[in-house]
Amino acid sequence: MEWTGACYADKPTVEVHTWIAATPPQVWTLVSDIELMPRMSSELQSVEWLDGRSGPALGARFVGRSKHAALGEWATTSHIVEYEPPRRLAWAVEDPQHPTAIWRFTLKPENGGTLLREWMQMGPARSGLSFAIDRMPDKEQKIVFVRMREFEANMAFTLEEIRKLAESAQPADEAGA
């Protein structure tokens, strides 16, 4: 990620992608298993579905508990705002109409496999990062940039883990071996 000079109010975004030697429905099984995500993240510690749910659906909610060396520990409630199996899954953090962040996975058939993208938008509502910005307003652009680079690295790791899981679940002849 290159320096953007973005401020929090700019609603900065980051996106990563990878190609996976598995079909979109096979990749979707992993992407839509939100409870699997803490295994693929150094920050997200646990996920718990709310309202008796056991999986994603439009309007479903889940609590994510996270931990970061500089930001501490926190929990947020996310709302599924896009649900189009096996193509798109997105959730808004806290208030779906005015979220602290939006996260999205998109899956597209490509070259006999799946192009998987993960995208996120910071803001527009205040988040834990807002407190750091409040303490050091003159460093806002740097704070936002550093956090977006962390998101980018974590997202790349998540996609790589999904790729490994999806491809290891393939029979040898389907995985190109």
Side-chain angles (χ1 to χ4, degrees):
M1 168 173 254
E2 293 185 26
W3 174 260
T4 62
C7 293
Y8 192 89
D10 297 329
K11 300 187 291 188
T13 64
V14 64
E15 180 177 83
V16 297
H17 66 275
T18 191
W19 182 83
I20 301 174
T23 66
Q26 292 164 322
V27 176
W28 177 262
T29 299
L30 298 168
V31 167
S32 63
D33 185 356
I34 302 294
E35 292 171 300
L36 180 64
M37 294 302 151
R39 287 183 32 199
M40 302 178 202
S41 172
S42 59
E43 195 167 301
L44 182 62
Q45 303 296 299
S46 68
V47 171
E48 179 183 344
W49 287 104
L50 299 173
D51 310 316
R53 295 279 187 181
S54 60
L58 197 58
R61 301 180 317 135
F62 63 90
V63 172
R65 289 175 181 76
S66 300
K67 184 178 182 179
H68 184 283
L71 301 172
E73 295 182 30
W74 67 96
T76 57
T77 300
S78 293
H79 306 255
I80 304 292
V81 293
E82 296 177 34
Y83 182 71
E84 301 171 30
R87 297 181 357 196
R88 184 183 303 266
L89 175 65
W91 58 91
V93 181
E94 297 301 344
D95 179 353
Q97 302 305 313
H98 193 65
T100 61
I102 299 170
W103 294 82
R104 178 181 301 126
F105 285 105
T106 56
L107 296 79
K108 179 181 166 190
E110 186 173 279
N111 299 325
T114 302
L115 178 62
L116 176 62
R117 295 183 186 277
E118 185 176 7
W119 173 92
M120 75 82 56
Q121 172 188 292
M122 187 183 289
R126 289 175 57 84
S127 71
L129 197 64
S130 301
F131 299 107
I133 293 167
D134 291 347
R135 286 192 306 272
M136 299 175 281
D138 56 318
K139 296 187 182 233
E140 178 176 4
Q141 292 173 315
K142 183 176 182 179
I143 291 167
V144 167
F145 178 71
V146 167
R147 189 64 172 138
M148 295 305 284
R149 285 189 64 194
E150 287 177 342
F151 284 142
E152 181 181 47
N154 289 336
M155 292 161 65
F157 181 78
T158 297
L159 293 194
E160 179 61 14
E161 292 300 301
I162 291 170
R163 186 192 64 75
K164 288 179 193 173
L165 285 171
E167 291 179 356
S168 71
Q170 298 293 303
D173 60 329
E174 288 183 28

